[in-house]
Amino acid sequence: MIQIFQNKDLLSKAAADFFVQKAQEAIQQHGRFVVALTGGSSPVELYKLLAQPPYTELISWPQTFIFWGDERWVPLTDERSNARMAHETLLDHVPIPAENIFPMRAESIEPETFALLYEQHLRDFLGNESPAFDLILLGMGDDGHTASLFPGTAVLHEESRYVQAYFLEPQAMYRITLTAPLINLAKAVCFLTFGSNKAPALFEVLEGKSNPEHYPSQLIRPENGELLWLVDEQAASLLTSANSGNM
Ligand SMILES: O=C1O[C@H](COP(=O)(O)O)[C@@H](O)[C@H](O)[C@H]1O
C-alpha cells in the first residue's frame, strides 16, 4: 500500500501513528514489540515525534526491543552511526531499558564475525523457525538502495544468511545489514520516502521493470506481512495516480 502526503511533517506523523499501532498490537498479542530502526535522514522527524507526547506515552518502552536494519561500521560515537542518531533523537529521551537496545556495532571484533553473532542473537530472540520482526522501518536512497542493500552488491543475492557484513567500496567502509530474506519475514515493513531527489528511483522501484540489481528496494516484498510506503508528493511526482492514495 502506498500513502502520499503533502509534506514530510504529515508523513512523519502518519509514521508515528503506524509505529504506535504496531507497538500496541504486538504487545497485546505477545507481550513485546520487536522493531528494527532505519538510519539516514528519513526517520529523524519520526524519532523526534516518538520521543514526545502524545506518542511516547502510548508506547510501553520496557516491552519494546530495538534492533537496526543496517549500520555503518563506525564507532557508536561517530556522527555517521545510525545508532547514534537514533539515541540522540529518540532512545535517550524515553524510558527504554538499555538491555532492550541492540546496536549493530561492537568494539574489538571484525564486522563479519559481528554479523554472525547478530544473526544468531536474532534467531534466538525471534525464534529460529521464522524470525519475524513486528515492524521494520526502512528508508530508500536516491539510488534505490534500502538498509545497506546497495545496487550491484553480492548481498542482494543472499538466500540463507539473515545478517551480512561487507566492504562497500564506493564508501570505503564496512556495512552491516539485514538481508532481504529476513526483512521479508517481518509482520510489517514501512518505508519512509520524501523529497524530489527520490522521485526517479521511487518510480523505478514501484512502477518500473523488475530490476532489483539496480533498484534493491524491489527486493522487499514481505511474504505474509504488511508493506506500507509512506511517501511525500515530491517523491511521488512520477508515479501514476492509479498506484497511489493521497492523504
Ligand atoms: O545509508 C543509508 O541510507 C538509507 C537511506 O538514507 P536516507 O538519508 O535517504 O534516508 C537508510 O535507510 C539507511 O539506513 C542508511 O544506512
Side-chain angles (χ1 to χ4, degrees):
M1 179 179 179
I2 306 166
Q3 292 181 357
I4 299 177
F5 298 86
Q6 282 176 358
N7 55 50
K8 183 175 83 170
D9 290 347
L10 291 174
L11 184 158
S12 299
K13 281 187 184 145
D17 288 337
F18 191 69
F19 190 101
V20 166
Q21 181 199 332
K22 290 296 150 195
Q24 292 182 343
E25 277 175 14
I27 289 168
Q28 196 175 25
Q29 284 164 15
H30 51 97
R32 67 180 190 179
F33 174 49
V34 188
V35 58
L37 299 183
T38 180
S41 54
S42 305
V44 171
E45 290 308 312
L46 163 64
Y47 295 167
K48 288 180 179 172
L49 284 174
L50 292 174
Q52 296 167 26
Y55 297 105
T56 195
E57 290 145 5
L58 297 171
I59 296 164
S60 174
W61 293 105
Q63 289 168 287
T64 298
F65 295 84
I66 304 283
F67 292 81
W68 270 264
D70 78 308
E71 187 56 278
R72 296 145 187 175
W73 190 251
V74 293
L76 291 169
T77 51
D78 191 293
E79 62 183 18
R80 294 166 296 174
S81 162
N82 287 341
R84 174 179 159 163
M85 184 276 283
H87 271 277
E88 287 179 349
T89 53
L90 171 62
L91 301 173
D92 290 349
H93 310 284
V94 296
I96 185 165
E99 58 269 25
N100 289 16
I101 301 172
F102 303 98
M104 278 180 150
R105 170 74 188 188
E107 303 302 326
S108 309
I109 187 171
E110 294 303 314
E112 291 91 347
T113 310
F114 180 84
L116 279 169
L117 293 173
Y118 203 82
E119 172 167 337
Q120 191 54 54
H121 180 59
L122 277 173
R123 288 181 185 274
D124 294 343
F125 196 87
L126 294 170
N128 208 14
E129 281 292 294
S130 180
F133 279 92
D134 294 308
L135 173 63
I136 296 181
L137 297 174
L138 293 175
M140 186 195 72
D142 303 0
D143 58 356
H145 87 268
T146 190
S148 285
L149 305 174
F150 282 86
T153 54
V155 72
L156 303 182
H157 305 284
E158 186 58 57
E159 291 182 355
S160 54
R161 288 282 304 277
Y162 286 156
V163 183
Q164 273 287 18
Y166 69 100
F167 192 73
L168 185 60
E169 292 282 353
Q171 297 186 8
M173 71 158 68
Y174 274 91
R175 290 282 188 144
I176 311 274
T177 189
L178 304 187
T179 62
L182 179 60
I183 296 172
N184 286 331
L185 292 175
K187 293 170 192 161
V189 175
C190 177
F191 275 91
L192 312 172
T193 312
F194 52 80
S196 55
N197 51 330
K198 308 258 166 113
L202 189 67
F203 170 78
E204 293 296 340
V205 168
L206 295 179
E207 298 187 8
K209 287 186 193 147
S210 174
N211 189 358
E213 194 68 24
H214 279 86
Y215 298 102
S217 297
Q218 286 185 342
L219 289 171
I220 307 309
R221 285 180 299 189
E223 289 170 19
N224 299 307
E226 185 178 351
L227 176 60
L228 178 62
W229 282 86
L230 301 179
V231 175
D232 80 344
E233 286 182 354
Q234 292 186 342
S237 58
L238 300 176
L239 299 181
T240 62
S241 55
N243 208 356
S244 52
N246 279 68
M247 309 291 285

